Amino acid sequence: MKKTDILVLDFGSQYTQLIARRLREQGVYTEILPFNVCIEDIKAKEPKGIILSGGPASVYSNEAYFCEKAVFDLKIPILGICYGLQLIAFHFKAKVAPALHKEYGKAHIKIQKDNVLFKNLPQEQIVWMSHSDRVESLPDGFEILATSTNSPFCALVNEKLQLYALQFHPEVEHSEFGAYILKNFAQYICHCESVWNMGSFAKGQIEKIRQEVGQDKVLCAVSGGVDSTVVAALLAQAIKEQVIVVFVDNGLLRDKEREQVEYTFKNILNINLISIDASEIFLKRLKGVIEPEKKRKIIGNTFIEIFEKEAKKHKDVKYLAQGTLYTDIIESSVVGNSKTIKSHHNVGGLPEKMKLKLIEPLKEIFKDEVRALGLELGLNKELIFRHPFPGPGLAIRIMGEVEINALNTLRKADSILIEELKSNAWYDKTWQAFCVLLNVKSVGVMGDNRTYENAICVRVVNANDGMTAVFSHLPYEILENISRRIINEVQGINRVVYDISSKPPATIEWE
Ligand code: XMP
């Protein structure tokens, strides 16, 4: 079994992957395993440190999650975060109870005792809290490292046993020195070296793919987006002609998208591409469907059906490779106990009895890490910095039934938006920009005539990894131009609105 530097045990927090990510940013190789992994598997990884993640359960409830007790006897430094702190406290006989004042969001902490965990960091800091239980007494053998107004036991240590615990989330960006706290834990407490980088990630994944696939063949589904293209490039390097790259035109693509994808694979990447036009079947199945989750499931199922049909045409195809990211998994809630937000088409939309085994080399990393990986693999910048485009395509940007006229209207509006952003040098400053067809009619006046037509919503957001987002503060002149052009040039639209919601509480896509 491959060794790791830091092992994160996942108790179901939405932020678990961020812990690994923050450590990877410091060059520390980090892996995540489920909270209940057996002690032998943990030992086999030979970790230099263990982190117990946050999670939605309560340690005192019947549904509590516990790792094996032997984890605490390994004589390896342990850091508990949020639920992890409560678990450590509970194990060492402290009282954990529902907090009278639940803490969500920013909080101030004061360091009470010098410790290497807070080495070189200010005595007072802003941190990110997200908990409804709290520790109410000091666990046996522990000392208080920091307090907050509502958490007297906000950071704890048992130096003898090398046990550390934090009530707040150092992995979240809003904890202003959180990344340094994790770095201190890895560097000074666990003595990890900073040797991990995207190059070593690529090498590791290539080896893993070779081992797993052997002499069999892999069908790799690409959409033309960054994620699946990076997967195709990774597979091409790993197993060469054993990979069959397939692109499915589902009829839900943007203007000229199919031609662009075909051109890129043929002329830029030199990877053989099988292009399938399946628009008819997708549109037929989506007829009359308006419920977002139903759309997503239909699209997911149809994709798989087509891939399986294509796979049968080739010999020895046993695997399907996809560009699933960690964000897709967490929102589809396949990790731990997190709640389902939406079924991402390449995760929750899979039929139960899929015949091909999945290969998802990007499932533990975030979009910006995928981009770094793409550059490492030699892909060109224009492709790497394309805005994300969801697998279910324009279907989830049409509020209501997906049909040809709506798709064409949306395509025209979308091209205008992208054209305007590119010509004003705003495309690269934003995470994602797109139009949504609202299917809400309103009254307008064009020439001297009354109109009663549809509205387009423009959504442009800034984000780091898609987990959170804020609307982009586009200059009014650009917004004005976009609105004027869409209303003038797209038939059937007489009103344009700008979406000013953040994620959370909204999501980036509308469905
Ligand atoms: P939301 O709407 O969940 O989107 O805030 C977060 C990011 O994920 C993209 N997205 C998807 N990508 N399949 C994908 O490959 C999907 O089903 C899917 N749904 C949303 C979205 O465009 C944004 O970048």
Side-chain angles (χ1 to χ4, degrees):
M1 194 179 274
K2 197 169 179 306
K3 291 179 194 167
T4 187
D5 275 344
I6 299 283
L7 186 63
V8 180
L9 296 188
D10 181 13
F11 289 87
S13 160
Q14 298 249 337
Y15 303 133
T16 300
Q17 263 297 331
L18 280 179
I19 303 172
R21 187 220 165 106
R22 292 287 167 257
L23 289 162
R24 291 200 295 259
E25 282 167 357
Q26 320 281 351
V28 176
Y29 184 62
T30 305
E31 276 188 42
I32 299 175
L33 287 177
F35 67 92
N36 52 359
V37 60
C38 73
I39 197 73
E40 294 314 319
D41 284 354
I42 295 179
K43 282 185 189 161
K45 290 267 170 201
E46 294 180 35
K48 295 180 180 141
I50 293 177
I51 295 183
L52 311 178
S53 84
S58 289
V59 283
Y60 50 78
S61 80
N62 288 338
E63 285 92 44
Y65 294 153
F66 294 108
C67 53
E68 282 204 31
K69 287 203 167 73
V71 168
F72 296 104
D73 303 326
L74 287 173
K75 299 198 169 64
I76 295 172
I78 297 178
L79 171 67
I81 294 176
C82 197
Y83 181 85
L85 164 130
Q86 292 158 16
L87 194 73
I88 291 176
F90 194 71
H91 183 83
F92 289 90
K93 315 262 182 310
K95 186 176 173 209
V96 181
L100 213 53
H101 301 284
K102 300 182 188 342
E103 280 185 299
Y104 293 106
K106 285 184 183 170
H108 278 87
I109 61 160
K110 274 192 189 161
I111 311 288
Q112 304 293 347
K113 182 181 185 291
D114 275 348
N115 185 275
V116 68
L117 194 62
F118 292 106
K119 188 177 160 123
N120 300 330
L121 301 181
Q123 291 300 301
E124 294 195 18
Q125 309 178 12
I126 292 172
V127 298
W128 186 259
M129 294 277 193
S130 181
H131 65 112
S132 49
D133 291 339
R134 69 172 203 171
V135 175
E136 306 236 308
S137 63
L138 196 61
D140 291 349
F142 280 74
E143 290 174 278
I144 295 174
L145 279 183
T147 53
S148 76
T149 326
N150 292 322
S151 297
F153 305 103
C154 176
L156 301 171
V157 65
N158 179 329
E159 275 174 359
K160 202 168 137 222
L161 298 181
Q162 289 187 282
L163 297 175
Y164 299 79
L166 303 170
Q167 181 58 77
F168 59 91
H169 289 271
E171 68 277 24
V172 172
E173 266 180 12
H174 309 286
S175 289
E176 54 180 349
F177 298 102
Y180 296 96
I181 297 172
L182 290 172
K183 181 174 186 245
N184 285 346
F185 176 69
Q187 188 175 343
Y188 301 120
I189 297 169
C190 306
H191 307 291
C192 299
E193 284 169 47
S194 298
V195 288
W196 186 90
N197 57 34
M198 265 307 155
S200 50
F201 179 79
K203 235 172 103 189
Q205 287 299 324
I206 287 173
E207 256 169 51
K208 199 168 151 198
I209 292 167
R210 280 184 187 147
Q211 264 181 20
E212 190 172 347
V213 172
Q215 297 307 310
D216 290 322
K217 288 202 176 119
V218 181
L219 196 80
C220 176
V222 296
S223 65
V226 188
D227 313 333
S228 53
T229 309
V230 167
V231 171
L234 202 59
L235 282 159
Q237 288 200 14
I239 51 170
K240 303 202 167 57
E241 54 281 349
Q242 279 167 262
V243 58
I244 300 160
V245 184
V246 180
F247 171 70
V248 174
D249 180 350
N250 56 8
L252 308 166
L253 303 173
R254 291 164 292 187
D255 201 27
K256 302 199 181 62
E257 189 139 34
R258 180 171 171 183
E259 294 83 342
Q260 275 170 15
V261 174
E262 288 171 354
Y263 179 88
T264 305
F265 273 81
K266 185 162 182 236
N267 299 300
I268 300 179
L269 303 174
N270 291 320
I271 295 178
N272 195 28
L273 182 78
I274 299 173
S275 186
I276 302 171
D277 183 356
S279 43
E280 215 171 287
I281 177 99
F282 276 92
L283 296 186
K284 201 168 134 206
R285 288 185 184 174
L286 286 168
K287 201 167 172 13
V289 179
I290 53 171
E291 212 276 307
E293 274 301 287
K294 211 166 162 196
K295 284 184 190 171
R296 284 177 170 272
K297 292 262 153 89
I298 290 174
I299 295 167
N301 287 353
T302 310
F303 262 124
I304 297 294
E305 217 180 284
I306 292 169
F307 295 144
E308 288 195 327
K309 210 165 127 195
E310 182 61 35
K312 281 199 192 118
K313 295 185 190 162
H314 307 266
K315 251 182 98 190
D316 301 327
V317 176
K318 297 254 169 67
Y319 297 89
L320 174 70
Q322 296 196 125
T324 316
L325 301 191
Y326 185 69
T327 1
D328 304 334
I329 293 187
I330 194 109
E331 299 216 329
S332 296
S333 184
V334 212
V335 178
N337 205 23
S338 331
K339 300 258 185 306
T340 300
I341 312 289
K342 347 177 143 161
S343 304
H344 279 224
H345 87 98
N346 41 4
V347 188
L350 297 182
E352 270 165 31
K353 283 193 200 134
M354 227 196 56
K355 291 177 197 100
L356 297 171
K357 279 195 231 158
L358 279 183
I359 291 196
E360 297 173 308
L362 312 181
K363 73 173 178 210
E364 283 163 11
I365 61 178
F366 290 85
K367 187 73 144 202
D368 47 343
E369 293 180 303
V370 174
R371 290 191 162 125
L373 176 61
L375 292 176
E376 186 68 40
L377 293 170
L379 303 189
N380 67 342
K381 281 202 175 136
E382 202 187 327
L383 203 157
I384 293 295
F385 290 100
R386 266 190 99 183
H387 284 177
F389 184 64
L394 300 180
I396 55 166
R397 294 177 179 173
I398 293 172
M399 303 302 96
E401 188 179 351
V402 182
E403 43 83 36
I404 292 277
N405 288 337
L407 283 163
N408 285 338
T409 305
L410 191 54
R411 279 188 188 113
K412 280 193 198 128
D414 194 80
S415 322
I416 293 173
L417 170 66
I418 300 302
E419 235 174 76
E420 285 299 316
L421 291 180
K422 284 193 171 160
S423 64
N424 287 288
W426 264 86
Y427 183 85
D428 289 333
K429 288 188 209 159
T430 62
W431 162 269
Q432 203 169 7
F434 57 90
C435 290
V436 179
L437 185 64
L438 295 183
N439 269 331
V440 170
K441 283 191 163 188
S442 73
V443 174
V445 52
M446 277 187 188
D448 287 329
N449 291 320
R450 174 189 190 268
T451 59
Y452 184 56
E453 287 178 331
N454 232 315
I456 281 280
C457 171
V458 171
R459 178 102 168 115
V460 188
V461 295
N462 286 19
N464 282 330
D465 48 34
M467 292 286 282
T468 58
V470 290
F471 75 90
S472 305
H473 292 204
L474 288 183
Y476 282 157
E477 307 80 70
I478 298 180
L479 282 171
E480 197 175 345
N481 243 348
I482 293 167
S483 160
R484 187 181 42 75
R485 279 198 60 197
I486 291 178
I487 293 173
N488 283 344
E489 295 174 37
V490 185
Q491 218 191 350
I493 301 297
N494 67 352
R495 195 174 291 269
V496 171
V497 296
Y498 191 52
D499 185 345
I500 55 169
S501 344
S502 302
K503 173 185 179 177
T507 52
I508 296 177
E509 303 289 346
W510 273 50
E511 289 191 338

